[in-house]
Amino acid sequence: MAQHNAFYAQSGGVTAVINASACGVVQACRRHADQIGKVYAGHNGIIGALTEDLIDVSHESDETIEALRHTPGGAFGSCRYKLKDIETHRTQYERLIEVFRAHDIRYFFYNGGGDSADTCLKVSQLSERLGYPLTAIHVPKTVDNDLPITDNSPGFGSVAKYIATSTLEASLDIASMCATSTKVFVLEVMGRHAGWIAAAGALAGNGEGDPPHLVIFPEIAFDRARVMARVEEAVKAYGYCVIVVSEGAIYEDGTFLADSGNTDAFGHRQLGGVAPTLAGMVKQDLGYKYHWAVADYLQRAARHLASRTDVEQAYAVGEKAVELAIAGKNAMMPTIKRVTDAPYEWRIEAAPLFEVANREKLMPREFIREDGFGITESCRRYLSPLIQGEDYPPFDNGLPRVAKLVKHRVERKLPDFKI
């Protein structure tokens, strides 16, 4: 078969293991050198393709590519930039094809969440309309765990492990001081519409009185009176109360508890600040001394505490993406199929992008306790395998060793393009 080049880009919020997927893609491409020539990475995601700002990955050593497996962040740069519909923004899609044509790129690997799956599908559709032979494969990634079809999303297991661990450790701190100090601790975690990360905090305890005493999900409407009554009940029974709350917690009318009033590049409402908002309610209604924390970027950057399961799955979907492309599959996404819970076994399958794009997987009601403040045993069985195993990075002078890329730029062949 003729040899053609590949393009890889990272999109949206990064994870502790997105670079493990990059490692899987690049190493698999190098194993198929008879069909895939060079791998070009988009500098800052899809923007790199639009502006023809390409990184020639062939200048990175095998050792550097292998080091991506234990490096957090987005090694090639990511972005929050969503391509709109083809009809009104056709120029941007045509620019992508123009860049791909100029650099003989026939394989498109887009590593991201739901919006990225939609973009990958549209690029595939337009390339077909324009008669340009392009194989487009979406590589799944999102800490929110809200991609459909796949059992879980690469990136989630490591966040879940970090949040469960942080909840456990902070709870011990609060418990040791509650007699004379803080009574309530609130931990804010990511999750706009789906409460998967908040649910992971519940893994910290598994018995009567174990923290967290409340988990607040986006899927369950926030009732201030009920929440405050439960906080009061926990403090009286155990001396303290630990709360894990999703950033996307909403009132009955659908408004967020913490809405900044702004939107991001994807058109999503910007959130943040639900922890101090909730802590303020505790102070106002109950008068308890409190502390709060926002996990924010720490939860998705904590490669030092990554789940081995997550690392292996992230690498596997990157590798599978290349195998699908080589096999001539188009507009597909590698998926994780759970075979058994105990012992935990999984395999990689694939799904067409039209079944993935613009769909969101929320927490099923049977995973949320009847009172709405915790998880069920079926949820615990689902979550527990995803945080299993340790995959510590190598350390130098007490700090994690990370990949340092050359990022050699490819010479531009086309006129400038403004986005």
Side-chain angles (χ1 to χ4, degrees):
M1 294 180 64
Q3 186 188 68
H4 300 284
N5 299 325
F7 174 82
Y8 167 81
Q10 299 174 322
S11 176
V14 298
T15 78
V17 299
I18 188 174
N19 289 331
S21 291
C23 177
V25 168
V26 175
Q27 289 184 341
C29 284
R30 289 182 175 181
R31 288 196 298 271
H32 290 281
D34 57 326
Q35 296 179 59
I36 299 178
K38 291 191 174 183
V39 176
Y40 296 135
H43 184 225
N44 297 329
I46 201 69
I47 290 177
L50 290 169
T51 61
E52 201 183 0
D53 188 4
L54 308 178
I55 297 168
D56 187 346
V57 181
S58 68
H59 287 261
E60 311 296 344
S61 68
D62 290 343
E63 292 74 20
T64 298
I65 296 303
E66 178 62 27
L68 288 177
R69 194 175 174 117
H70 57 74
T71 299
F76 301 103
S78 186
C79 67
R80 290 196 181 280
Y81 187 84
K82 182 177 181 179
L83 297 179
K84 304 296 193 300
D85 65 278
I86 294 177
E87 300 310 320
T88 58
H89 291 75
R90 188 181 179 91
T91 302
Q92 290 186 325
Y93 289 92
E94 290 178 340
R95 168 66 175 189
L96 289 178
I97 302 303
E98 186 180 18
V99 171
F100 292 165
R101 192 188 302 274
H103 295 276
D104 190 29
I105 292 169
R106 300 288 185 90
Y107 303 99
F108 174 42
F109 302 109
Y110 203 26
N111 199 174
D115 288 315
S116 305
D118 179 60
T119 296
C120 193
L121 177 61
K122 288 173 179 173
V123 169
S124 172
Q125 292 169 338
L126 184 64
S127 67
E128 185 175 354
R129 290 186 205 173
L130 297 178
Y132 183 73
L134 181 73
T135 301
I137 304 293
H138 179 245
V139 185
K141 166 250 36 159
T142 175
V143 297
D144 292 328
N145 198 40
D146 59 358
L147 286 172
I149 311 298
T150 185
D151 175 75
N152 58 283
S153 303
F156 170 68
S158 294
V159 167
K161 190 180 186 76
Y162 179 86
I163 292 301
T165 301
S166 296
T167 301
L168 173 62
E169 293 176 339
S171 296
L172 294 172
D173 187 306
I174 301 300
S176 66
M177 297 289 291
C178 67
T180 57
S181 186
T182 302
K183 299 290 187 185
V184 178
F185 175 68
V186 182
L187 176 62
E188 175 182 329
V189 303
M190 290 179 172
R192 178 178 302 276
H193 300 125
W196 296 105
I197 300 177
L203 293 176
N206 191 26
E208 176 63 32
D210 286 352
H213 305 101
L214 287 88
V215 179
I216 298 177
F217 304 96
E219 292 87 351
I220 303 295
F222 181 84
D223 183 321
R224 179 167 177 168
R226 288 188 68 239
V227 169
M228 292 302 113
R230 184 57 62 92
V231 172
E232 178 83 330
E233 180 182 304
V235 171
K236 288 184 175 179
Y238 315 117
Y240 68 106
C241 180
V242 173
I243 306 170
V244 177
V245 58
S246 171
E247 64 179 350
I250 59 171
Y251 291 106
E252 185 69 42
D253 64 2
T255 59
F256 292 106
L257 269 67
D259 187 337
S260 70
N262 300 315
T263 58
D264 64 17
F266 289 137
H268 303 148
R269 302 296 293 182
Q270 286 189 333
L271 305 179
V274 70
T277 297
L278 184 54
M281 293 179 186
V282 169
K283 181 66 175 178
Q284 183 178 9
D285 294 4
L286 304 175
Y288 289 131
K289 183 177 180 180
Y290 63 80
H291 272 270
W292 56 266
V294 181
D296 200 49
Y297 281 12
L298 298 179
Q299 64 199 297
R300 72 185 199 197
R303 179 58 184 81
H304 65 285
L305 196 60
S307 151
R308 175 177 288 276
T309 296
D310 195 25
V311 174
E312 292 175 348
Q313 291 178 341
Y315 182 90
V317 296
E319 185 178 49
K320 181 68 172 182
V322 176
E323 293 173 358
L324 289 170
I326 291 297
K329 306 297 183 181
N330 193 17
M332 301 286 287
M333 182 186 83
T335 60
I336 299 165
K337 170 71 174 180
R338 182 179 300 224
V339 180
T340 59
D341 287 328
Y344 179 54
E345 295 180 1
W346 56 275
R347 65 174 181 264
I348 301 296
E349 297 185 346
L353 280 181
F354 70 83
E355 293 184 3
V356 178
N358 299 312
R359 300 188 184 186
E360 195 171 34
K361 180 178 69 178
L362 305 182
M363 287 269 293
R365 188 60 181 87
E366 61 267 25
F367 276 13
I368 301 174
R369 218 166 54 201
E370 187 175 353
D371 65 4
F373 293 133
I375 63 173
T376 61
E377 282 306 309
S378 61
C379 183
R380 188 176 296 275
R381 286 194 300 273
Y382 167 79
L383 292 172
S384 292
L386 305 182
I387 69 169
Q388 297 302 313
E390 288 66 55
D391 193 80
Y392 300 120
F395 281 74
D396 291 326
N397 296 318
L399 293 174
R401 185 191 311 157
V402 298
K404 296 186 183 299
L405 278 67
V406 175
K407 296 185 181 178
H408 178 85
R409 295 303 202 280
V410 178
E411 182 178 352
R412 287 184 168 90
K413 299 181 179 182
L414 302 172
D416 289 345
F417 183 84
K418 292 186 177 181
I419 59 173

